[in-house]
Amino acid sequence: MAHHHHLPPKSTKLFSTPFREKPDPKQKFSLFRISLLILLCFASASFLKLSSFSPPPILSSAYSNSSRTQHSKHSNNSASPPPPPPPCSTLINHGPTTSNSITNLLCCDRSHFRTDVCYMLGDIRTAAGNGRRSILLVGPSQVNKTEEKIRPYTRKWETEIMSTVDELSLRPSPVSAAKRCDVRHVAPAVVFSTGGYTGNVYHEFNDGIIPLYITAARFAGEVVLAVVEYHEWWFMKYRRILEKISKYEIVDLRRDKRVHCFDEMIVGLKIHGDLAIDSNLMHNGKSILDFQSLLTAALSSSSPQPLPQPLPVTTHHRLHLTILIRHHSRRLLNLPSILHLAHHSGFHTTLLSPKRSTPISHLHHSLSSSDALLAVHGAALTHLLFMRPGSVLIQVIPIGLDWAAETYYGEPARRLGLHYLAYNVTAEESSLSKVYGKNDPVLKNPKLVTSKGWAETKRVYMDKQDVDLDLKRFGKVIQRAKDHLMRIKSKKNID
């Protein structure tokens, strides 16, 4: 019969039997056993689920103190891991804090494009041998067990000059491999190089002295200066400044074979910019004026002033103009005419030709007592650091040197509070006009030449160019300088 094909199979007849039918006793007993088995399985599953359950955090926090105490008695008594150290830059700038338990550390901050600076804390020992200069961190290192290499000089991006700077290896060392201390220092150390461009006064200040001041300022004199590639002439030249930065004898890492031991060390120098000190990055907010104050204290025979003082009121009618003289390139070809012009404009002039042997105190005295400084672009303009706020700097800028003149001396002069006047030489005033045609890119499009790099800029514009100033044009600049100085002195007289 067709309607019977939807009936369930016989094996399921027990569950589909109509209730009106009387069930078979054997079938009833089988149903009971199956139901009991299902209940037992359900109970077992529920028990397993409950046994694996852990309360959410909000419930755990509601446990009583006694419950937590009881639980802790049965848990492992493992100490929590030590907190991570501060960023390396923080340690370099401020040192370890009392809340920091780290006692053995080696790290490096390589984030700056101008310089790398490393920091060491713990049992630090100098080591030399087999032509290799190392500084050891003795004992187990908690943070960094790898060796770090550094050339402690602030022109990191110039690979050619950096390759000439001695490399230091900073490496952790077991006690058994380290030599015993010959000299134990109570003060921390700052390690730097006087290699590179040392010998050029701009680089001596920009790459060395100012970064050293920036890096060591937080120690307030309680710091040992350890020098790679130490030069005796450099120390004699800057001794009085160095004595204001450190109260201790300098360590010559190249020649001194003794094992010097320290508890804290900075390797490399921080740098903020070209002849620049950013007070926002300095300990106690020190600025370039504080550095000037240090120079005055170190180089002046009189008692130091807290900060460089503005121009004094002069009792004579003539203003004092100092002219820096160059002898090999970028010379003032019509210097006698310039002297005559300055004299008729009311200036008393002094000629200054700095050499390596010139005592820096002599240069400081000459420039700190001047009302104005005139110079063709060159390293000697670094001595603008000795001038007082309110005085005038006149920079004669030969063709092709606009960017360098502004970056290296124009901007620093303004930061020092100087009245900066730039005199840009024309093609007719440049000696290059006698070498190149008036339509040559050297004269007509200097940017095309300078875009080829510093070596080409130096060859064409730095090394082979002199200037013959147009006295009519230049006379206007001299007059502007005089007007500025007279306004300042008139105001001082009124005050």
Side-chain angles (χ1 to χ4, degrees):
M1 295 173 14
H3 62 278
H4 289 301
H5 77 282
H6 288 299
L7 291 176
K10 289 184 179 180
S11 62
T12 62
K13 189 175 182 180
L14 175 66
F15 300 100
S16 61
T17 302
F19 286 110
R20 66 177 180 273
E21 295 184 15
K22 186 176 180 180
D24 186 345
K26 291 181 179 181
Q27 291 176 334
K28 185 176 181 180
F29 180 71
S30 298
L31 178 64
F32 173 77
R33 287 195 302 176
I34 293 172
S35 300
L36 182 61
L37 181 62
I38 291 171
L39 286 172
L40 287 171
C41 291
F42 179 78
S44 299
S46 299
F47 175 77
L48 290 171
K49 190 174 183 180
L50 283 170
S51 66
S52 63
F53 173 77
S54 61
I58 191 169
L59 293 177
S60 298
S61 64
Y63 285 176
S64 66
N65 289 334
S66 59
S67 298
R68 286 198 296 270
T69 303
Q70 185 69 22
H71 175 73
S72 66
K73 291 179 180 179
H74 298 284
S75 63
N76 293 330
N77 293 323
S78 59
S80 59
C88 200
S89 59
T90 300
L91 292 166
I92 292 165
N93 293 336
H94 306 289
T97 61
T98 53
S99 61
N100 195 311
S101 59
I102 294 175
T103 57
N104 197 265
L105 176 68
L106 164 59
C107 66
C108 292
D109 180 4
R110 302 186 186 274
S111 61
H112 203 289
F113 82 96
R114 289 177 181 261
T115 187
D116 289 332
V117 185
C118 295
Y119 180 82
M120 302 177 78
L121 184 69
D123 183 355
I124 305 162
R125 309 185 192 185
T126 62
N130 300 323
R132 185 184 187 189
R133 290 175 181 80
S134 300
I135 299 175
L136 307 180
L137 182 62
V138 179
S141 177
Q142 296 174 344
V143 177
N144 192 339
K145 293 182 179 295
T146 61
E147 180 181 25
E148 298 280 0
K149 293 182 181 294
I150 181 173
R151 298 180 190 271
Y153 190 63
T154 58
R155 299 193 79 81
K156 171 182 169 180
W157 76 98
E158 290 195 52
T159 54
E160 185 175 349
I161 195 65
M162 288 299 288
S163 67
T164 69
V165 176
D166 283 0
E167 184 177 66
L168 290 174
S169 173
L170 316 180
R171 52 191 176 92
S173 170
V175 176
S176 59
K179 294 182 179 180
R180 297 178 64 180
C181 299
D182 296 317
V183 183
R184 180 167 290 281
H185 299 268
V186 295
V190 170
V191 180
F192 61 101
S193 173
T194 56
Y197 290 121
T198 299
N200 176 296
V201 67
Y202 170 81
H203 292 287
E204 288 165 11
F205 273 94
N206 185 71
D207 305 342
I209 299 293
I210 294 178
L212 178 61
Y213 173 80
I214 291 170
T215 308
R218 72 176 176 90
F219 298 111
E222 292 295 330
V223 62
V224 176
L225 306 182
V227 182
V228 181
E229 299 172 82
Y230 174 88
H231 301 286
E232 185 65 27
W233 68 261
W234 173 86
F235 172 72
M236 294 305 297
K237 179 176 181 178
Y238 294 111
R239 178 180 59 83
R240 292 169 66 174
I241 297 174
L242 297 171
E243 287 173 350
K244 293 296 182 182
I245 296 175
S246 169
K247 300 176 181 177
Y248 300 91
E249 182 179 348
I250 284 182
V251 175
D252 179 356
L253 290 177
R254 172 176 281 179
R255 296 179 180 85
D256 193 336
K257 304 303 181 184
R258 295 176 298 174
V259 177
H260 291 263
C261 296
F262 302 88
D263 296 325
E264 184 182 10
M265 179 179 284
I266 296 173
V267 185
L269 299 177
K270 298 185 295 179
I271 184 170
H272 294 165
D274 298 293
L275 300 182
I277 296 176
D278 186 342
S279 60
N280 294 318
L281 303 176
M282 284 294 291
H283 181 72
N284 292 336
K286 292 184 180 295
S287 71
I288 191 69
L289 294 179
D290 293 286
F291 177 70
Q292 272 197 314
S293 180
L294 179 142
L295 295 179
T296 300
L299 303 175
S300 174
S301 57
S302 59
S303 59
Q305 303 281 347
L307 286 174
Q309 298 300 297
L311 290 172
V313 181
T314 55
T315 55
H316 54 81
H317 67 284
R318 286 200 174 273
L319 300 166
H320 185 192
L321 171 67
T322 296
I323 302 177
L324 295 179
I325 303 302
R326 298 182 59 87
H327 297 286
H328 301 293
S329 66
R330 286 161 279 146
R331 296 172 297 170
L332 288 167
L333 296 178
N334 58 338
L335 179 59
S337 299
I338 292 171
L339 292 173
H340 184 74
L341 173 65
H343 177 78
H344 279 274
S345 298
F347 284 94
H348 166 73
T349 56
T350 299
L351 301 182
L352 194 60
S353 180
K355 299 178 178 63
R356 180 184 289 184
S357 59
T358 305
I360 196 168
S361 58
H362 172 68
L363 299 173
H364 181 272
H365 174 74
S366 297
L367 294 175
S368 64
S369 60
S370 294
D371 298 303
L373 172 64
L374 165 63
V376 181
H377 173 77
L381 271 166
T382 306
H383 297 113
L384 63 85
L385 291 167
F386 301 160
M387 301 182 72
R388 287 161 297 137
S391 52
V392 175
L393 172 64
I394 304 172
Q395 180 177 199
V396 176
I397 306 173
I399 291 175
L401 301 178
D402 303 64
W403 179 86
E406 173 63 19
T407 301
Y408 300 148
Y409 305 112
E411 290 180 6
R414 295 187 193 95
R415 287 193 293 265
L416 284 167
L418 306 184
H419 186 69
Y420 175 65
L421 299 174
Y423 182 84
N424 294 89
V425 168
T426 64
E428 292 74 23
E429 294 172 288
S430 171
S431 63
L432 295 177
S433 63
K434 295 179 174 59
V435 180
Y436 300 93
K438 63 179 182 179
N439 292 322
D440 192 288
V442 168
L443 298 176
K444 197 169 185 178
N445 189 8
K447 288 184 178 180
L448 184 63
V449 179
T450 58
S451 66
K452 297 178 182 178
W454 180 248
E456 185 68 3
T457 300
K458 184 176 184 298
R459 184 186 71 83
V460 176
Y461 296 116
M462 295 282 284
D463 296 343
K464 298 180 180 180
Q465 183 174 194
D466 296 318
V467 295
D468 191 338
L469 303 188
D470 181 320
L471 296 180
K472 186 175 181 180
R473 279 187 70 224
F474 186 67
K476 295 177 181 177
V477 176
I478 288 289
Q479 189 59 46
R480 286 168 59 193
K482 178 182 177 181
D483 292 344
H484 166 78
L485 293 168
M486 294 307 295
R487 282 195 301 269
I488 288 181
K489 294 181 184 298
S490 296
K491 185 177 179 181
K492 286 291 286 185
N493 282 323
I494 294 173
D495 294 342

